[in-house]
């Protein structure tokens, strides 16, 4: 069946370094992809999204890259800060009347001060 | 930041009790969703709604029910709670996107339910 999976369950990064969180998806018909950040005890928070007809999108300190050939998505966080520590989920979205959102299992980012 | 609220934030109850988890949003969004999430795991859609008087079951089978009488309100009810219902329940809402944007879901803080 359809799935969205993350390569690494936990990622430890030194404060100030760049972080790269990877995600693989299986549904080639997805319309767009979203990265969410979930801090402990809170709901997921939207970070950035990218449409399937794009290969790169930049936000504030974050960049998402989409490689449709290998069905791979990555989130790059520049100059990682302690406040970036959280679980990051990628999700692929199929819009057919309602959104069919498939979430991955999440990668825990730990920032080492 | 999105204006979507869930109450209670934490709930511990005994088996067999009827409970209702509240979700409200002040953004006027037509679409609302309920997800179930175990700690550190992915989110699973259990219910969604296109608008008032519209409710549908999601991908994950659930013994809960929902109602959508008002646009801003999407409560989830468990008629008889069991330990297997212990989980975190997340509510979300979204609105149809404009040409340049995607239909992003905004999440509430969640309700952590424990059934003893």
């Amino acid at each position: 069946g359809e799935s969205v999976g993350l390569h690494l369950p936990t990622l430890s990064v030194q404060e100030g370094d760049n972080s790269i969180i990877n995600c693989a998806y299986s549904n080639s018909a997805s319309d767009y992809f979203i990265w969410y950040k979930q801090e402990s005890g809170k709901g997921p928070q939207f970070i950035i999204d990218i449409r399937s007809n794009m290969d790169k999108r930049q936000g504030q300190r974050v960049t998402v890259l989409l490689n449709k050939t290998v069905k791979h998505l990555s989130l790059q966080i520049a100059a990682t800060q302690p406040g970036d520590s959280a679980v990051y989920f990628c999700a692929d979205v199929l819009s057919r009347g309602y959104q069919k959102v498939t979430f991955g299992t999440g990668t825990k980012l730990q920032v080492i001060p | 930041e999105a204006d979507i609220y869930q109450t209670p934030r934490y709930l511990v109850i005994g088996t067999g009790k009827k409970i209702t988890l509240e979700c409200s949003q002040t953004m006027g969004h037509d679409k609302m969703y309920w997800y179930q999430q175990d700690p550190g795991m992915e989110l699973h859609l259990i219910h969604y709604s296109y608008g008032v008087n519209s409710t549908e079951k999601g991908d994950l089978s659930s013994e809960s029910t929902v109602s959508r009488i008002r646009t801003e309100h999407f409560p989830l009810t468990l008629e008889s709670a069991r330990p297997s219902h212990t989980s975190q329940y997340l509510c979300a809402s979204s609105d149809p996107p404009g040409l340049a944007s995607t239909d992003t879901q905004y999440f509430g803080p969640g309700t952590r339910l424990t059934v003893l």
Side-chain angles (χ1 to χ4, degrees), chain A residues 19-109:
Chain A
S19 302
I20 299 176
I21 302 172
N22 296 304
C23 176
Y25 65 93
S26 60
N27 187 0
S28 58
S30 296
D31 296 301
Y32 55 96
F33 304 85
I34 304 175
W35 280 101
Y36 284 96
K37 172 186 180 183
Q38 186 173 25
E39 297 174 274
S40 181
K42 297 182 180 180
Q45 179 184 6
F46 170 86
I47 301 174
I48 191 168
D49 58 12
I50 185 169
R51 287 195 173 276
S52 59
N53 61 354
M54 301 169 66
D55 53 22
K56 181 179 180 179
R57 191 170 186 210
Q58 288 184 293
Q60 187 177 11
R61 279 203 307 119
V62 295
T63 302
V64 57
L65 299 177
L66 175 63
N67 185 332
K68 293 183 287 295
T69 303
V70 295
K71 297 180 184 176
H72 182 267
L73 190 70
S74 70
L75 177 70
Q76 300 178 5
I77 304 173
T80 311
Q81 302 169 0
D84 295 327
S85 293
V87 176
Y88 289 81
F89 292 92
C90 69
D92 73 293
V93 184
L94 189 65
S95 289
R96 298 291 185 269
Y98 91 100
Q99 281 185 318
K100 180 175 173 59
V101 182
T102 304
F103 286 88
T105 54
T107 292
K108 184 176 182 180
L109 177 65

Side-chain angles (χ1 to χ4, degrees), chain B residues 68-113:
Chain B
R68 190 85 183 276
I69 300 173
R70 303 198 315 267
T71 298
E72 62 272 22
H73 196 213
F74 191 39
L76 180 144
T77 298
L78 276 167
E79 291 293 333
S80 180
R82 296 204 302 271
S84 61
H85 296 139
T86 295
S87 189
Q88 172 156 271
Y89 293 83
L90 290 160
C91 180
S93 72
S94 69
D95 219 16
L99 290 176
S101 64
T102 55
D103 192 356
T104 300
Q105 294 184 12
Y106 295 93
F107 285 84
T111 294
R112 186 167 295 282
L113 173 66

Side-chain angles (χ1 to χ4, degrees), chain B residues 11-15 17-19 78 81-82 113-116:
Chain B
L11 180 61
V12 181
I13 60 168
T15 298
K17 299 292 185 183
K18 177 180 178 180
I19 60 167
L78 276 167
R82 296 204 302 271
L113 173 66
T114 301
V115 183
L116 303 177

